Amino acid sequence: MAKNIQLDVYHGKEASVNAYMFSDDQSVILVDCLRNSEEAGHLADRIKSQKKPLTHILITHGHPDHFLGMNVLKQQFPETRIVVTKPEIKNDITGFAVWMEGVGWLEAEPAMKPKTAANEKGFDYEAHIEVLNAGTLALAEGAVLELNSDYAASECEHLTTIYSKDLNAFFPNDFCYYGVHPWLAVDKNNIDYWKTQLKEFKKQCEVQNPKIYPGHGQPGDVSVFDEVLNYIENFEATITASKTRAEAMDTMKRLYPNHQQADFLLFHSVNAFIPE
Ligand SMILES: [Zn+2]
């Protein structure tokens, strides 16, 4: 029999990124914590309204749209363990924070600047993030989230996916964007692996036919894997055929007029492949 587990989804505005709250009657687990402190504050309020202990915050990967809300969550839930599945993801998070500070991207989120001797008030990534070294997380009444981060580099260097048998739901995280332009400012090798893995997911999901919850955008069914695969193929064809960045932007916007985040995600993806 299925164990007690409920899912609440917080659809973030910035980057159209999602945060997922899993709960039973006695506990809550949060997955990812949004792109900015303001939205993370609303997320914290929603968790508090459940009036149950938040046992874990799992950060799926080292991209800022999934971890910049961490400081607010840490302040609101000081007892909660912030966890990642493996040391590489902790390194990705810390590395990205250092890089962001260097290019000025943390000026709007000063509390997320890394703690150093010169900046005592910064966020202590080293102390606050714990490596789980386990393949599962469980709610208090026993429902299990199966975690997998055994993937090669794709949208990011290391990424965690989640499967809940009780919900029959799969969370491919940033392998999937639904109705949102994916971040494709990555190496060609990453893109090749990404496409292969989408086909693999489709195969793996054939029998159970789980609901699919992407890292960005609305949930869907297993057709989302083909949808993302087609998008990536269209992107590659567009990059090859376009002489300028503007031309590539126009083509992609024409192909995907309703996709969100063109100004940031598509813009940087195009710029990574077409010189100015
Ligand atoms: Zn993301």
Short mmCIF file of all heavy atoms in Angstrom, two decimals, residues 201-241:
data_model
loop_
_atom_site.label_atom_id
_atom_site.label_comp_id
_atom_site.label_asym_id
_atom_site.label_seq_id
_atom_site.Cartn_x
_atom_site.Cartn_y
_atom_site.Cartn_z
N PHE A 201 15.34 8.15 -19.93
CA PHE A 201 14.23 8.41 -19.00
C PHE A 201 12.90 7.94 -19.60
O PHE A 201 12.08 7.34 -18.92
CB PHE A 201 14.11 9.92 -18.70
CG PHE A 201 15.15 10.44 -17.75
CD1 PHE A 201 15.68 11.72 -17.93
CD2 PHE A 201 15.61 9.69 -16.68
CE1 PHE A 201 16.63 12.23 -17.05
CE2 PHE A 201 16.57 10.19 -15.80
CZ PHE A 201 17.09 11.47 -15.99
N LYS A 202 12.73 8.26 -20.88
CA LYS A 202 11.48 7.89 -21.54
C LYS A 202 11.28 6.38 -21.47
O LYS A 202 10.19 5.89 -21.16
CB LYS A 202 11.52 8.36 -23.00
CG LYS A 202 10.20 8.18 -23.73
CD LYS A 202 10.34 8.53 -25.20
CE LYS A 202 9.06 8.15 -25.95
NZ LYS A 202 9.22 8.33 -27.41
N LYS A 203 12.36 5.65 -21.73
CA LYS A 203 12.31 4.18 -21.67
C LYS A 203 12.00 3.70 -20.24
O LYS A 203 11.15 2.86 -20.03
CB LYS A 203 13.68 3.63 -22.12
CG LYS A 203 13.57 2.50 -23.13
CD LYS A 203 14.94 1.89 -23.44
CE LYS A 203 15.83 2.83 -24.24
NZ LYS A 203 17.23 2.33 -24.34
N GLN A 204 12.72 4.30 -19.28
CA GLN A 204 12.54 3.88 -17.88
C GLN A 204 11.13 4.14 -17.37
O GLN A 204 10.64 3.45 -16.48
CB GLN A 204 13.53 4.63 -16.96
CG GLN A 204 14.96 4.18 -17.12
CD GLN A 204 15.95 5.12 -16.41
OE1 GLN A 204 15.54 6.10 -15.79
NE2 GLN A 204 17.23 4.82 -16.52
N CYS A 205 10.48 5.18 -17.92
CA CYS A 205 9.16 5.58 -17.42
C CYS A 205 8.00 4.88 -18.15
O CYS A 205 6.83 5.09 -17.80
CB CYS A 205 8.99 7.09 -17.53
SG CYS A 205 10.02 8.00 -16.37
N GLU A 206 8.35 4.08 -19.15
CA GLU A 206 7.33 3.49 -20.01
C GLU A 206 6.28 2.70 -19.24
O GLU A 206 5.08 2.87 -19.46
CB GLU A 206 8.02 2.56 -21.02
CG GLU A 206 7.47 2.66 -22.41
CD GLU A 206 8.50 2.14 -23.41
OE1 GLU A 206 9.13 1.09 -23.13
OE2 GLU A 206 8.69 2.79 -24.45
N VAL A 207 6.73 1.87 -18.28
CA VAL A 207 5.80 0.97 -17.58
C VAL A 207 5.01 1.71 -16.51
O VAL A 207 3.78 1.64 -16.47
CB VAL A 207 6.57 -0.21 -16.96
CG1 VAL A 207 5.61 -1.12 -16.18
CG2 VAL A 207 7.29 -1.00 -18.05
N GLN A 208 5.70 2.44 -15.65
CA GLN A 208 5.03 3.10 -14.51
C GLN A 208 4.26 4.35 -14.92
O GLN A 208 3.34 4.77 -14.24
CB GLN A 208 6.07 3.50 -13.45
CG GLN A 208 6.84 2.34 -12.85
CD GLN A 208 5.96 1.42 -12.03
OE1 GLN A 208 4.89 1.80 -11.58
NE2 GLN A 208 6.41 0.19 -11.85
N ASN A 209 4.67 4.95 -16.04
CA ASN A 209 4.02 6.17 -16.54
C ASN A 209 3.81 7.24 -15.45
O ASN A 209 2.69 7.70 -15.21
CB ASN A 209 2.68 5.80 -17.19
CG ASN A 209 2.12 6.94 -18.01
OD1 ASN A 209 2.88 7.74 -18.56
ND2 ASN A 209 0.81 7.04 -18.09
N PRO A 210 4.88 7.62 -14.76
CA PRO A 210 4.74 8.59 -13.66
C PRO A 210 4.42 9.99 -14.18
O PRO A 210 4.66 10.30 -15.35
CB PRO A 210 6.13 8.59 -13.01
CG PRO A 210 7.05 8.24 -14.13
CD PRO A 210 6.29 7.27 -15.01
N LYS A 211 3.89 10.81 -13.30
CA LYS A 211 3.76 12.24 -13.60
C LYS A 211 5.17 12.83 -13.53
O LYS A 211 5.98 12.43 -12.69
CB LYS A 211 2.84 12.90 -12.56
CG LYS A 211 2.40 14.28 -12.97
CD LYS A 211 1.18 14.74 -12.17
CE LYS A 211 0.85 16.19 -12.53
NZ LYS A 211 -0.29 16.71 -11.77
N ILE A 212 5.46 13.78 -14.42
CA ILE A 212 6.80 14.34 -14.51
C ILE A 212 6.82 15.78 -14.01
O ILE A 212 6.08 16.63 -14.52
CB ILE A 212 7.34 14.30 -15.96
CG1 ILE A 212 7.19 12.90 -16.57
CG2 ILE A 212 8.79 14.77 -16.02
CD1 ILE A 212 7.96 11.80 -15.88
N TYR A 213 7.67 16.04 -13.01
CA TYR A 213 7.81 17.38 -12.45
C TYR A 213 9.17 17.94 -12.81
O TYR A 213 10.19 17.51 -12.26
CB TYR A 213 7.65 17.34 -10.92
CG TYR A 213 6.26 17.01 -10.47
CD1 TYR A 213 5.84 15.69 -10.35
CD2 TYR A 213 5.36 18.03 -10.17
CE1 TYR A 213 4.55 15.40 -9.94
CE2 TYR A 213 4.06 17.74 -9.75
CZ TYR A 213 3.67 16.43 -9.64
OH TYR A 213 2.39 16.14 -9.23
N PRO A 214 9.21 18.89 -13.75
CA PRO A 214 10.50 19.43 -14.20
C PRO A 214 11.10 20.43 -13.21
O PRO A 214 10.41 20.91 -12.30
CB PRO A 214 10.13 20.12 -15.51
CG PRO A 214 8.73 20.57 -15.32
CD PRO A 214 8.06 19.55 -14.42
N GLY A 215 12.37 20.73 -13.40
CA GLY A 215 13.02 21.74 -12.57
C GLY A 215 12.43 23.13 -12.78
O GLY A 215 12.36 23.94 -11.87
N HIS A 216 12.01 23.39 -14.01
CA HIS A 216 11.42 24.68 -14.37
C HIS A 216 10.12 24.45 -15.13
O HIS A 216 10.08 23.61 -16.02
CB HIS A 216 12.37 25.49 -15.28
CG HIS A 216 13.68 25.81 -14.63
ND1 HIS A 216 14.05 27.09 -14.29
CD2 HIS A 216 14.71 25.01 -14.27
CE1 HIS A 216 15.26 27.07 -13.75
NE2 HIS A 216 15.68 25.82 -13.73
N GLY A 217 9.09 25.22 -14.80
CA GLY A 217 7.83 25.13 -15.52
C GLY A 217 6.84 24.17 -14.88
O GLY A 217 7.07 23.64 -13.79
N GLN A 218 5.75 23.95 -15.59
CA GLN A 218 4.64 23.16 -15.06
C GLN A 218 4.90 21.66 -15.19
O GLN A 218 5.68 21.24 -16.03
CB GLN A 218 3.36 23.52 -15.85
CG GLN A 218 2.96 24.98 -15.75
CD GLN A 218 2.56 25.38 -14.33
OE1 GLN A 218 1.86 24.64 -13.66
NE2 GLN A 218 3.02 26.54 -13.88
N PRO A 219 4.23 20.87 -14.35
CA PRO A 219 4.35 19.42 -14.50
C PRO A 219 3.65 18.92 -15.76
O PRO A 219 2.81 19.61 -16.33
CB PRO A 219 3.65 18.87 -13.24
CG PRO A 219 2.79 19.96 -12.74
CD PRO A 219 3.39 21.26 -13.19
N GLY A 220 4.02 17.70 -16.17
CA GLY A 220 3.40 17.12 -17.36
C GLY A 220 3.45 15.61 -17.29
O GLY A 220 3.68 15.04 -16.23
N ASP A 221 3.25 14.98 -18.43
CA ASP A 221 3.39 13.53 -18.48
C ASP A 221 4.70 13.16 -19.16
O ASP A 221 5.53 14.04 -19.43
CB ASP A 221 2.17 12.88 -19.17
CG ASP A 221 2.01 13.35 -20.61
OD1 ASP A 221 3.02 13.80 -21.21
OD2 ASP A 221 0.89 13.28 -21.14
N VAL A 222 4.89 11.88 -19.47
CA VAL A 222 6.19 11.44 -20.00
C VAL A 222 6.52 12.03 -21.37
O VAL A 222 7.67 11.95 -21.81
CB VAL A 222 6.27 9.89 -20.08
CG1 VAL A 222 6.29 9.29 -18.69
CG2 VAL A 222 5.12 9.32 -20.90
N SER A 223 5.53 12.65 -22.03
CA SER A 223 5.82 13.27 -23.33
C SER A 223 6.79 14.45 -23.19
O SER A 223 7.35 14.93 -24.18
CB SER A 223 4.53 13.74 -24.00
OG SER A 223 3.95 14.79 -23.25
N VAL A 224 7.00 14.91 -21.96
CA VAL A 224 7.92 16.04 -21.75
C VAL A 224 9.34 15.68 -22.18
O VAL A 224 10.09 16.54 -22.65
CB VAL A 224 7.89 16.53 -20.28
CG1 VAL A 224 8.48 15.52 -19.31
CG2 VAL A 224 8.60 17.87 -20.13
N PHE A 225 9.72 14.42 -22.11
CA PHE A 225 11.07 14.03 -22.52
C PHE A 225 11.28 14.27 -24.02
O PHE A 225 12.31 14.79 -24.44
CB PHE A 225 11.35 12.56 -22.18
CG PHE A 225 11.25 12.26 -20.71
CD1 PHE A 225 10.42 11.24 -20.25
CD2 PHE A 225 11.97 13.00 -19.78
CE1 PHE A 225 10.31 10.98 -18.89
CE2 PHE A 225 11.86 12.74 -18.42
CZ PHE A 225 11.03 11.73 -17.98
N ASP A 226 10.28 13.88 -24.83
CA ASP A 226 10.36 14.14 -26.27
C ASP A 226 10.33 15.63 -26.56
O ASP A 226 11.01 16.13 -27.45
CB ASP A 226 9.19 13.47 -27.00
CG ASP A 226 9.46 11.99 -27.24
OD1 ASP A 226 10.65 11.60 -27.22
OD2 ASP A 226 8.49 11.23 -27.42
N GLU A 227 9.50 16.32 -25.79
CA GLU A 227 9.36 17.77 -25.94
C GLU A 227 10.73 18.47 -25.76
O GLU A 227 11.13 19.32 -26.56
CB GLU A 227 8.37 18.24 -24.87
CG GLU A 227 8.13 19.71 -24.81
CD GLU A 227 6.85 20.12 -25.51
OE1 GLU A 227 6.08 19.24 -25.93
OE2 GLU A 227 6.66 21.33 -25.65
N VAL A 228 11.42 18.10 -24.70
CA VAL A 228 12.72 18.72 -24.43
C VAL A 228 13.75 18.29 -25.49
O VAL A 228 14.54 19.10 -25.97
CB VAL A 228 13.22 18.37 -23.01
CG1 VAL A 228 14.60 18.98 -22.75
CG2 VAL A 228 12.23 18.87 -21.96
N LEU A 229 13.70 17.02 -25.86
CA LEU A 229 14.61 16.52 -26.89
C LEU A 229 14.42 17.29 -28.20
O LEU A 229 15.39 17.73 -28.83
CB LEU A 229 14.35 15.02 -27.10
CG LEU A 229 15.28 14.26 -28.04
CD1 LEU A 229 16.73 14.34 -27.56
CD2 LEU A 229 14.85 12.80 -28.15
N ASN A 230 13.17 17.47 -28.60
CA ASN A 230 12.88 18.24 -29.82
C ASN A 230 13.39 19.67 -29.70
O ASN A 230 13.94 20.22 -30.66
CB ASN A 230 11.36 18.30 -30.08
CG ASN A 230 10.86 17.01 -30.67
OD1 ASN A 230 11.62 16.29 -31.31
ND2 ASN A 230 9.59 16.72 -30.46
N TYR A 231 13.19 20.25 -28.54
CA TYR A 231 13.67 21.62 -28.33
C TYR A 231 15.17 21.68 -28.55
O TYR A 231 15.67 22.57 -29.26
CB TYR A 231 13.32 22.11 -26.92
CG TYR A 231 13.80 23.53 -26.67
CD1 TYR A 231 12.91 24.60 -26.69
CD2 TYR A 231 15.15 23.82 -26.45
CE1 TYR A 231 13.34 25.90 -26.49
CE2 TYR A 231 15.60 25.11 -26.25
CZ TYR A 231 14.70 26.15 -26.27
OH TYR A 231 15.15 27.43 -26.08
N ILE A 232 15.90 20.75 -27.94
CA ILE A 232 17.36 20.78 -28.04
C ILE A 232 17.80 20.60 -29.50
O ILE A 232 18.69 21.29 -29.98
CB ILE A 232 18.00 19.70 -27.14
CG1 ILE A 232 17.71 20.02 -25.66
CG2 ILE A 232 19.51 19.63 -27.37
CD1 ILE A 232 18.20 18.95 -24.68
N GLU A 233 17.13 19.70 -30.22
CA GLU A 233 17.46 19.51 -31.64
C GLU A 233 17.17 20.77 -32.45
O GLU A 233 17.95 21.15 -33.32
CB GLU A 233 16.72 18.28 -32.18
CG GLU A 233 17.33 17.00 -31.64
CD GLU A 233 16.51 15.74 -31.91
OE1 GLU A 233 15.37 15.86 -32.41
OE2 GLU A 233 17.01 14.65 -31.59
N ASN A 234 16.07 21.41 -32.14
CA ASN A 234 15.75 22.67 -32.83
C ASN A 234 16.77 23.75 -32.50
O ASN A 234 17.16 24.54 -33.37
CB ASN A 234 14.35 23.16 -32.44
CG ASN A 234 13.26 22.40 -33.17
OD1 ASN A 234 13.47 21.92 -34.28
ND2 ASN A 234 12.10 22.28 -32.55
N PHE A 235 17.19 23.78 -31.28
CA PHE A 235 18.20 24.76 -30.86
C PHE A 235 19.50 24.53 -31.62
O PHE A 235 20.10 25.47 -32.16
CB PHE A 235 18.43 24.65 -29.35
CG PHE A 235 19.52 25.56 -28.82
CD1 PHE A 235 19.27 26.90 -28.56
CD2 PHE A 235 20.81 25.06 -28.60
CE1 PHE A 235 20.28 27.74 -28.09
CE2 PHE A 235 21.82 25.89 -28.12
CZ PHE A 235 21.56 27.23 -27.86
N GLU A 236 19.93 23.27 -31.69
CA GLU A 236 21.19 22.97 -32.40
C GLU A 236 21.09 23.34 -33.88
O GLU A 236 22.02 23.91 -34.45
CB GLU A 236 21.51 21.47 -32.24
CG GLU A 236 21.94 21.11 -30.83
CD GLU A 236 22.31 19.64 -30.70
OE1 GLU A 236 21.44 18.78 -31.00
OE2 GLU A 236 23.45 19.34 -30.32
N ALA A 237 19.95 23.01 -34.50
CA ALA A 237 19.76 23.34 -35.92
C ALA A 237 19.76 24.87 -36.11
O ALA A 237 20.33 25.39 -37.08
CB ALA A 237 18.46 22.74 -36.43
N THR A 238 19.14 25.55 -35.19
CA THR A 238 19.06 27.02 -35.26
C THR A 238 20.44 27.65 -35.13
O THR A 238 20.78 28.58 -35.87
CB THR A 238 18.11 27.56 -34.15
OG1 THR A 238 16.82 27.00 -34.36
CG2 THR A 238 18.03 29.07 -34.19
N ILE A 239 21.22 27.15 -34.20
CA ILE A 239 22.58 27.66 -33.99
C ILE A 239 23.42 27.47 -35.26
O ILE A 239 24.15 28.36 -35.70
CB ILE A 239 23.24 26.94 -32.79
CG1 ILE A 239 22.57 27.36 -31.48
CG2 ILE A 239 24.74 27.16 -32.73
CD1 ILE A 239 22.70 28.83 -31.14
N THR A 240 23.29 26.29 -35.86
CA THR A 240 24.05 25.98 -37.08
C THR A 240 23.63 26.89 -38.24
O THR A 240 24.47 27.35 -39.02
CB THR A 240 23.82 24.50 -37.49
OG1 THR A 240 24.14 23.68 -36.35
CG2 THR A 240 24.69 24.10 -38.65
N ALA A 241 22.34 27.17 -38.33
CA ALA A 241 21.83 27.91 -39.49
C ALA A 241 21.92 29.43 -39.33
O ALA A 241 21.80 30.16 -40.31
CB ALA A 241 20.37 27.51 -39.74
#
